Amino acid sequence: MIRERGLKVVMVLVGLLFSAGIYPLTMILWQRNQSQYGDAMMLSLYFTLGIFLLMAIRNPSANRSLIAFTAWSSFAHGVVMAVPGFQIPSERRELFVAVACWLPSV
């Protein structure tokens, strides 16, 4: 019971965090900033994932694959962003900050 309640709390926090990506996504598209369209694509995926996580809170055991996908994809995204952090000194700080923001959602 305590474990399921903890899982639901984490799902709410991560779902809200991912869903909050709608604001920067909207701003990128509104300003038609083509240099950030890659970021907009990622934000649209995370926004959608956040909405589905929030819907999955009702019955986490029936949505185990969604929860596992969220955790593993966040971990993979963090690892992929960490690699250029070691290779590109000028971008190191920004990439490691981004990794630090995404990995807690695992």
Side-chain angles (χ1 to χ4, degrees):
M1 185 71 171
I2 294 173
R3 186 175 180 187
E4 184 175 340
R5 188 173 194 88
L7 175 63
K8 286 182 178 184
V9 168
V10 170
M11 288 174 64
V12 167
L13 294 175
V14 173
L16 290 174
L17 174 71
F18 285 178
S19 299
I22 192 66
Y23 179 74
L25 171 64
T26 305
M27 291 298 104
I28 291 169
L29 296 176
W30 183 267
Q31 296 169 355
R32 297 182 183 171
N33 189 349
Q34 291 183 356
S35 66
Q36 293 185 334
Y37 280 176
D39 294 339
M41 184 221 23
M42 286 302 298
L43 286 171
S44 68
L45 294 174
Y46 278 111
F47 169 72
T48 306
L49 187 56
I51 296 298
F52 276 92
L53 272 178
L54 292 173
M55 292 185 337
I57 292 170
R58 285 185 248 147
N59 190 359
S61 60
N63 296 288
R64 289 178 50 201
S65 60
L66 173 69
I67 296 165
F69 173 78
T70 302
W72 283 107
S73 67
S74 295
F75 178 73
H77 186 239
V79 169
V80 168
M81 290 181 68
V83 171
F86 288 109
Q87 296 174 344
I88 308 170
S90 63
E91 299 291 324
R92 184 166 290 153
R93 181 173 174 255
E94 289 79 14
L95 289 168
F96 285 150
V97 167
V99 169
C101 290
W102 287 117
L103 284 184
S105 64
V106 171

